[in-house]
Amino acid sequence: MVVKVYGPAFASPKRVIACLIEKEIEFETVPVDLLKGEHKDPEFLKLQPFGTVPVTQDGDYVLYESRAIIRYYAEKYKSQGTDLLGKTVEERGQVENWLEVEAHNFNPPIYALTLHLMFASKMGFPPDENLIKESEEKLGKVLDIYEERLSKNKYLAGDFFSLADLSHLPFTQYLVGQMGREYMITSRKHVSAWWDDISSRPSWQKVLQLYAPPF
């Protein structure tokens, strides 16, 4: 069964697509234009009642939280493609730990930066300069902790690439690209080396080649 991924132009669906490529899972994409409000279409809301992307449809099986989706496919196809969960219970624990760090510490400030630096004008509201400054400061403190972690380990969960690293790809790509905040990565030696490593993976390069950002 081919997995359908809705909304490939946007960041969180790209997290899912990178995982599917790493796991060598066949998929197809369905465009959803958030800027035109297609995520509020009644047919789409039948799949995703909260009206956001991504959504994956695998036959009759539907998921719509990106981190839940990547966990599911990494587990279901654990023996296929790249092992993204670790080989031991302890390694899996570290993967889960740093996935939670990404979701609760890294994502909130970088999402706020994305919204106000990239999408505000497109969505018709003025960027909040105070929130931008505050979010950049918060993200910097998170990246300082990453710098310490990555001075001791090649990747966040240990010496193996995992979902914990993969989950950072889409929004960090915005940070170093459209947001013009590359210095937040390059000014930290170990974070910079880690980013160079994970962003050069063939899976991510394929995502960038196939799915342009929304503008």
Side-chain angles (χ1 to χ4, degrees), residues 27-211:
F27 67 93
E28 60 186 34
T29 58
V30 181
V32 179
D33 192 333
L34 304 187
L35 300 177
K36 292 181 179 177
E38 292 177 359
H39 57 304
K40 301 301 183 184
D41 181 87
E43 286 304 308
F44 184 77
L45 290 172
K46 289 178 183 177
L47 291 173
Q48 209 318 15
F50 298 102
T52 60
V53 293
V55 175
T56 55
Q57 196 173 15
D58 192 349
D60 294 329
Y61 189 69
V62 175
L63 291 172
Y64 48 72
E65 288 293 339
S66 64
R67 294 171 191 84
I69 294 167
I70 63 176
R71 284 176 166 110
Y72 169 74
Y73 284 105
E75 183 68 53
K76 183 175 181 179
Y77 296 94
K78 188 167 172 55
S79 62
Q80 176 177 313
T82 307
D83 183 353
L84 298 170
L85 296 172
K87 292 181 169 57
T88 66
V89 173
E90 289 73 22
E91 288 181 350
R92 175 66 178 267
Q94 288 295 338
V95 173
E96 295 292 346
N97 183 75
W98 286 94
L99 266 174
E100 292 295 309
V101 170
E102 184 273 324
H104 299 292
N105 299 92
F106 179 87
N107 191 68
I110 203 169
Y111 182 81
L113 287 172
T114 301
L115 190 62
H116 285 267
L117 290 171
M118 290 179 58
F119 285 90
S121 61
K122 303 289 189 298
M123 297 174 72
F125 63 88
D128 184 330
E129 296 299 333
N130 289 330
L131 182 59
I132 290 170
K133 184 174 183 289
E134 179 184 313
S135 298
E136 189 168 338
E137 289 173 355
K138 286 181 179 178
L139 182 60
K141 290 177 181 177
V142 173
L143 290 172
D144 287 343
I145 294 170
Y146 280 38
E147 179 70 6
E148 171 66 17
R149 174 69 177 175
L150 293 165
S151 72
K152 300 171 183 174
N153 299 277
K154 185 176 182 181
Y155 300 103
L156 287 171
D159 290 325
F160 59 99
F161 177 77
S162 74
L163 291 183
D165 308 291
L166 180 149
S167 196
H168 289 79
L169 284 165
F171 284 98
T172 310
Q173 190 71 50
Y174 282 164
L175 186 75
V176 303
Q178 292 97 318
M179 283 196 265
R181 299 297 198 275
E182 187 175 17
Y183 60 83
M184 296 193 71
I185 301 298
T186 58
S187 64
R188 295 169 171 87
K189 175 184 174 183
H190 298 99
V191 171
S192 185
W194 167 75
W195 173 249
D196 287 347
D197 182 316
I198 67 171
S199 63
S200 64
R201 290 183 71 84
S203 61
W204 186 242
Q205 290 301 308
K206 186 172 182 180
V207 170
L208 295 180
Q209 178 188 349
L210 292 176
Y211 306 105

